[in-house]
Amino acid sequence: MSHVMNTYARQPVAFVRGEGVWLWDEAGRKYLDALAGIAVNTLGYAHPRLTQALARRIQSGVIHTSNLWRIPDQEAAADRLAEITGLDEVFFCNSGLEANEAAIKVARKYGHERGIAEPAIIVMEKAFHGRSLATLSATGSRKVQAGFEPLVSGFVRVPLNDLDAVRQVSEHNRSVCAVMVEPIQGEGGINVSRLEYLRGLKEICERQQWLFISDEVQCGLGRTGKWFVYQHAGFLPDVVPLAKGLGSGVPVGACIVGGRARGVFKPGNHGSTFGGNPLAMTAVVTTLDTIKEEGLLARAARVGEVIRGGLAALDGIEVRGMGLMIGVETRQPCGELVKAALDAGLVINVTADNVIRLLPPLVMTEAEGRAVVDRLLPLIKAFADKRAAA
Ligand SMILES: Cc1ncc(COP(=O)(O)O)c(C=O)c1O
C-alpha cells in the first residue's frame, strides 16, 4: 500500500526520462507528450539552457536565501515580467492558487481603500482558480467545493461570455471591487472568452473603477501565440496571476499588478518564505528568455493551427482553443481515452468529463504536432464508433 495520500486517480505509469516533447517510462516505452505536466513544462524536457542554468544555480550553493535579502535573479525575473505584461509590480509565490490568493487579497484591500466594508469579486461559472479556501470559493465547480463549506464569502457568480449579467450586478451591487476571469477556462473544458466580451468587461471595470483580474495561470505565458490572452483583446488588466509554465517545471507563481492595483500592497501586507527564491527565479529568467529567443510564441500559434486543423477533420466533434491550448469535446464522457492514448504512446488529459485537453510544451515542432494528430484521430474515431454502436 502506498502512503501517498489518495487525492488523485493516477494512471499506473511513471515517466523516468524526458527529452524535447518525448517521455520514457520505467519499461523504456516512449511517449509523445501533448500535456506538458498540465501546461507546466514550457520548454519540454532536458532543454539544455534550462538544465545548464539550474545546474549552475545549484552548484553556486545558493538555492534559497529568504526574502530578507536582495535576490538579484528575482529582480531580473520581475523586470522581464513587467516588460512582457505591461504591468508594474511582481509578487512571487509558489503556485497558481497562491497567485490567485494574492490577487484576491489585492482586490479586497483595494475595495477597503475605496470605503467598501465587505468587498466582493465577480467570478465566472465553470471557472477554476485553485483549491485553497478562498480560491475554491472563487471556483465555479460544486465538485471542488463540496465538503469544504463554509465557503469564503465575497464572490458573485455570473456565466462566462454574458456581459448583461455583469451589467446587472453592477447596477445592484455596490460592494463589487473587481472581476476575476480566466480568459480561456482550462479545467472547465477549454471555454474561450470572446475577445469582444473581454473588451466589454474591461469597459465596465473602467466605468465602475473595478480591478480586472486576468487569471492566466493556465492560458498565459505564450501558449496562445501571444504572451497573454488579454493581449489578443488589446488592453491591460490590473492584476495577472501566473504559475504553471512560468518555471518550466520548477514550482513558482507570480501575481503581477499595475493600473489601479499598483501600490495596493505595502510592506507587511503579504509574504511567502519560499516565494521568489534563487532556484525558482533562475528557472523563470531562463524560461522567459528562451521563449523569446527561440520564437516560441509564433511557434505555439503555428503548431496549434496544425493540431486544431488536423482534428477538425472529424465530424460531430467540436475543437476549441487558441494556439497550444486545445479542447476537443466529445458527445459522451471520454475519460477512457487517457488510457487508450497512453497505450498508443501519447500523453493527453480529459477534463470536464468530455473534453480532451491538449497543452503541449511550447517547443513542439509542426512535425510533432502532426504526430499528435496522427495518434489521436484514430482513437477519437474508434471511441465515437464504439459509442454509436452501443
Ligand atoms: C486557471 C487556473 N488558476 C489557478 C490554478 C491553480 O494552480 P495550482 O494548481 O498551481 O495551485 C489552476 C490550476 O489548474 C488554473 O488552471
Side-chain angles (χ1 to χ4, degrees), residues 95-97 100 128-130 182 187 215 217-218 243-244:
S95 66
L97 80 81
N100 282 332
F128 184 83
H129 296 297
E182 292 168 85
E187 304 305 303
D215 177 353
V217 166
Q218 190 162 148
K244 286 194 180 279

Side-chain angles (χ1 to χ4, degrees), residues 53-389:
L54 290 176
R56 272 197 304 275
R57 169 53 60 206
I58 290 166
Q59 277 155 5
S60 77
V62 179
I63 59 172
H64 179 85
T65 58
S66 93
N67 284 300
L68 299 175
W69 324 110
R70 274 193 53 226
I71 301 174
D73 266 7
Q74 188 180 114
E75 293 163 12
D79 287 350
R80 281 163 177 74
L81 284 169
E83 187 193 327
I84 62 174
T85 56
L87 304 183
D88 301 309
E89 303 172 342
V90 187
F91 176 83
F92 286 105
C93 51
N94 313 285
S95 66
L97 80 81
E98 286 174 70
N100 282 332
E101 282 278 341
I104 292 165
K105 281 180 68 176
V106 166
R108 284 189 167 192
K109 187 144 187 298
Y110 170 78
H112 282 290
E113 283 171 3
R114 294 184 56 216
I116 301 172
E118 298 205 357
I121 301 173
I122 295 181
V123 290
M124 305 296 154
E125 288 173 8
K126 296 190 186 171
F128 184 83
H129 296 297
R131 289 176 180 275
S132 65
L133 284 171
T135 57
L136 74 80
S137 302
T139 289
S141 157
R142 275 307 295 155
K143 225 155 97 183
V144 171
Q145 296 172 339
F148 301 107
E149 297 85 357
L151 299 182
V152 172
S153 61
F155 297 104
V156 181
R157 198 168 304 285
V158 297
L160 186 71
N161 280 325
D162 182 347
L163 271 188
D164 277 343
V166 178
R167 278 192 204 105
Q168 271 174 29
V169 175
S170 75
E171 279 160 24
H172 300 113
N173 190 331
R174 296 282 111 210
S175 295
V176 174
C177 63
V179 174
M180 185 164 176
V181 60
E182 292 168 85
I184 303 178
Q185 293 181 334
E187 304 305 303
I190 313 294
N191 306 314
V192 183
S193 301
R194 290 192 306 273
L195 296 182
E196 265 316 300
Y197 168 75
L198 292 176
R199 286 191 278 265
L201 210 48
K202 171 69 180 171
E203 263 174 45
I204 298 174
C205 286
E206 285 300 302
R207 234 184 355 262
Q208 303 288 340
Q209 300 194 330
W210 295 345
L211 300 185
F212 190 115
I213 304 172
S214 192
D215 177 353
E216 304 229 8
V217 166
Q218 190 162 148
C219 62
L221 288 164
R223 183 156 289 285
T224 63
K226 290 194 189 277
W227 283 108
F228 302 104
V229 179
Y230 64 80
Q231 292 167 344
H232 291 279
F235 64 83
L236 280 181
D238 302 285
V239 184
V240 179
L242 298 176
K244 286 194 180 279
L246 185 56
S248 284
V250 176
V252 59
C255 179
I256 306 160
V257 305
R260 292 192 175 84
R262 182 179 179 168
V264 168
F265 269 178
K266 311 249 173 353
N269 285 151
H270 203 47
S272 163
T273 296
F274 289 124
N277 86 10
L279 181 68
M281 294 301 102
T282 298
V284 172
V285 169
T286 310
T287 299
L288 297 177
D289 287 354
T290 307
I291 293 176
K292 201 165 167 181
E293 284 160 31
E294 294 191 0
L296 298 186
L297 304 186
R299 187 189 291 199
R302 232 174 26 242
V303 179
E305 262 173 47
V306 167
I307 298 177
R308 275 180 290 123
L311 294 174
L314 279 172
D315 283 342
I317 298 259
E318 192 188 10
V319 182
R320 297 194 287 263
M322 285 172 94
L324 288 177
M325 183 166 189
I326 300 169
V328 183
E329 184 166 331
T330 58
R331 292 211 176 104
Q332 283 101 3
C334 62
E336 68 195 68
L337 280 173
V338 171
K339 166 82 170 54
L342 280 176
D343 291 343
L346 178 68
V347 180
I348 61 165
N349 171 253
V350 168
T351 190
D353 293 332
N354 65 335
V355 180
I356 301 164
R357 178 168 52 160
L358 307 179
L359 301 160
L362 303 194
V363 293
M364 183 171 272
T365 63
E366 289 181 46
E368 288 160 343
R370 278 191 290 277
V372 170
V373 174
D374 291 345
R375 288 179 192 210
L376 188 55
L377 268 185
L379 299 177
I380 303 177
K381 272 191 195 131
F383 173 79
D385 290 348
K386 195 168 107 192
R387 285 302 145 111

